[in-house]
């Protein structure tokens, strides 16, 4: 095993040299390349939220999960401080995940509608979930330098799932923007000029790359206000299945 990645250059080198998803997941979880995020994720894991004070927090970068031969990928922003940063699995143990996994279950893309812990039996079908940034950021806002430092992990994961991937669902504008440089790196095809704007239900087809679908993020800010409804999520995932040849 290589030593922990502690610089952007080490992230780049380790990601490029990783030949399997399992090894990539392990290297992502052992990354210390962004000092601000390392401090934040560690502090959160120590101070905890009162409701989880008896739990041991993950407090590390959070790898993607789901089958390596998935036809659909869901791209998020970053782990939540008391969700993925606590449980060690993206969208697991928070309100955003409650909405997302219920929708995936309705679409037949998950075996159960809830996810509260990494060992709760959840299995994704035809779907892999990953994030543009793998550490929980303060205020859910990674800095541009942190996004760029983390990008090689995302690019390599995309390259490893490339043989079967047909559709990417970008949750929110941050994920939508992160997709274009990753697509260029993994597929060798240039983004459209000008780049298409993010919107819920937006669809972009670039020859030689997966179809990109836009979806409002499953954050409480969107789901509690009705900006994103269960019916809207069902439409997105139904469309993703059809485009992936799964419907």
């Amino acid at each position: 095993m290589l030593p922990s990645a502690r610089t952007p250059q080490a992230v780049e080198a380790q990601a490029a040299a990783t030949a399997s998803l399992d090894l990539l997941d392990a290297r992502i979880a052992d990354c210390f390349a962004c000092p601000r995020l390392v401090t934040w994720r560690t502090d959160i894991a120590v101070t905890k939220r009162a409701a989880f004070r008896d739990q041991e927090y993950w407090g590390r970068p959070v790898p993607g999960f789901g089958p390596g031969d998935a036809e659909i990928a869901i791209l998020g922003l970053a782990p939540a401080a008391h969700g993925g940063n606590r449980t060690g699995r993206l969208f697991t143990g928070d309100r955003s995940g409650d909405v997302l996994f219920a929708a995936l279950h309705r679409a037949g893309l998950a075996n159960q509608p809830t996810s509260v812990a990494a060992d709760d039996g959840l299995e994704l079908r035809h779907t892999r979930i990953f994030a543009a940034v793998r550490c929980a950021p303060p205020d859910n806002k990674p800095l541009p330098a942190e996004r760029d430092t983390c990008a090689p992990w995302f690019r390599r994961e995309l390259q490893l799932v490339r043989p079967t991937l047909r559709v990417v669902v970008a949750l929110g504008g941050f994920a939508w923007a992160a997709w274009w440089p990753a697509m260029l790196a993994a597929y060798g095809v240039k983004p459209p000029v000008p780049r298409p704007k993010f919107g819920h239900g937006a669809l972009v087809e670039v020859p030689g790359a997966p179809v990109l679908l836009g979806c409002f993020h499953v954050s409480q800010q969107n789901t509690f206000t009705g900006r994103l409804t269960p019916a809207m999520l069902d439409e997105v995932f139904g469309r993703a299945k059809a485009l992936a040849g799964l419907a």
Side-chain angles (χ1 to χ4, degrees), residues 111-172:
N111 68 325
Q112 61 189 44
T114 59
S115 181
V116 297
D119 59 354
D120 63 5
L122 175 71
E123 294 180 3
L124 299 182
R125 298 166 178 160
H126 307 287
T127 306
R128 187 167 178 88
I129 298 177
F130 42 54
V133 174
R134 305 307 173 102
C135 289
D139 300 318
N140 291 319
K141 294 179 180 178
L143 300 176
E146 294 162 349
R147 174 203 62 203
D148 295 345
T149 296
C150 204
W153 298 130
F154 172 34
R155 293 198 302 262
R156 187 59 184 146
E157 187 163 6
L158 194 57
Q159 289 167 345
L160 291 171
V161 300
R162 174 177 172 170
T164 59
L165 190 60
R166 300 290 176 264
V167 181
V168 174
V169 178
L171 297 179

Side-chain angles (χ1 to χ4, degrees), residues 20 51 58 75 104 124 128 145 165 175 198 215:
S20 72
W58 172 255
L75 176 60
L104 291 176
L124 299 182
R128 187 167 178 88
L165 190 60
F198 170 75
C215 179

Side-chain angles (χ1 to χ4, degrees), residues 95-96 99 218-229:
R95 294 290 180 85
S96 296
V99 174
V218 287
S219 66
Q220 293 183 61
Q221 182 179 357
N222 289 332
T223 58
F224 280 18
T225 61
R227 187 174 188 234
L228 179 64
T229 66

